Amino acid sequence: MESAAVRGEGLVIPLIDFSQFLNGNPDQRKETADAILHGFQTAGFIYLKGLPITPEYRKHVFETSAKYFRLPVETKMTHCWTTPEANRGYSAPGREKNTDLTNIDEVKKLRDAVPDLKESLEIGREGEPGHPNHWPEEQGELVGFKETMLGFHTKCKELHMEVMRAIAVGLGIEETWFDSYTDVGDNTLRLLHYPEVKRDVFKINPGQVRTGAHSDYGSITLLFQDSQGGLQVQSPTGAFVDAAPIEDTCVVNAGDLLARWSNDNIKSTIHRVVEPPSRQDEVYPARYSIAYFCNPNFDRFIEAIPKTYASENDRKYHGVNSGEYLVQRLTATY
C-alpha cells in the first residue's frame, strides 16, 4: 500500500494512497490510518497521493498565485502583513525569518545576516471579526483571485479534517474526536514565491537559504510543491535529506502543537528550503509552493489526547489555548 518517498540517513518518509482511507473498506481505512500515524511518529512527515483535490484544480491555484506575485512591489506592499493576531497579508523578501530560535533579538540578528529569500501572502478564514484578509484589486489577470483562494482554503480545510480523522483511527480513539477542534477552519493558506536567484548568492554566503531551518507551529501543514525542489527534512543523524517533489502528491508534516497535543507520540521535524538539488545553472529559476497551516480552533484548550498517556503523571505538558500559542510563536518569527 505504501512505499518510501524519501529514504536516507535513517529517515524514511512514506508515500501513502489517501484514497484508501477516504473510499476504502474498513480494513483498508485502518491500514492507511496506521501508516499515516506511523509516518508521523517516526519521520514527522508523510507524502499523500490519491487526494480529493484534482491536479487540474491545483494547477489553476498555482497559476493564480503566480499572477499575484507578478504585481508591482508597491502594489503588494499595500496588502502588508500586520500583526501575529491577524496573521494575514503580504510579506516581502526578508520580512520573515524561519528558524527554531525563540528569542526575538536572536531572530532579528539572524534575519539581518541571512534573510530568507522568499515572499508570501497569508490568507486566513474569511469573516473572522477584526481580522480581514488583504485582497488585491481584481482587475486584468487577477479577476477571480479571491474566489479561487477561498475555494482552495475550503478544500484544504476538508483535507485537514480527514487527515486528523485518520490520526484518530490510528490512535484508536473515536474517528470524529478531532472534528470539534477543526471544524471552524482557523487555518492559514500561504502562497509562496521564491524568486529566481544567482547561484553565486549561495557561494558567497554558505549560510544563505531560501527558508531557514524550522519546525511548524500548529497541528499539521499541507504542502503543495512545484517541480523545482529544495525542500529538505532533518534526519535522525542531524543531516538534512532532500524531500524531492513527487507529482500529484501533498507533503504533510506534523507541527509543534500536535507533538505537544499527542504527548510527544508524534514528531514535529525540522525542515528548510535550500538551493535546488540540481546546481548546474548560473541562475536558479523561481520556485512556487503553497502551504496550508492547520491549527485547532483558536478558542480550544489543548491538552494531551486520550490514549497518549497512561496516568496523569505521564502528561508532559500543561494545557494551552490554541490561538494564544500560535500568536506567541508568530511574534518571534516576524
Side-chain angles (χ1 to χ4, degrees), residues 153 156-157 160 185 187-189 220-222 290-294:
H153 194 291
C156 288
K157 173 197 167 185
H160 171 218
N187 309 317
T188 300
L189 177 65
I220 62 173
T221 301
L222 312 176
I290 298 175
Y292 188 76
F293 295 102
C294 306

Side-chain angles (χ1 to χ4, degrees), residues 94-153:
R95 169 70 191 271
E96 179 194 22
K97 182 61 189 178
N98 283 118
T99 172
D100 56 357
L101 297 174
T102 55
N103 181 278
I104 294 176
D105 292 333
E106 292 177 356
V107 174
K108 183 180 185 304
K109 184 178 179 180
L110 183 63
R111 182 193 298 119
D112 292 342
V114 280
D116 286 354
L117 301 178
K118 68 175 188 294
E119 58 180 341
S120 64
L121 179 69
E122 323 284 321
I123 300 169
R125 174 169 62 87
E126 185 77 342
E128 183 179 353
H131 300 308
N133 283 308
H134 303 288
W135 299 110
E137 185 177 348
E138 297 215 357
Q139 59 182 7
E141 63 180 8
L142 281 181
V143 171
F145 180 86
K146 178 178 179 180
E147 180 183 5
T148 293
M149 294 308 163
L150 287 181
F152 194 61
H153 194 291

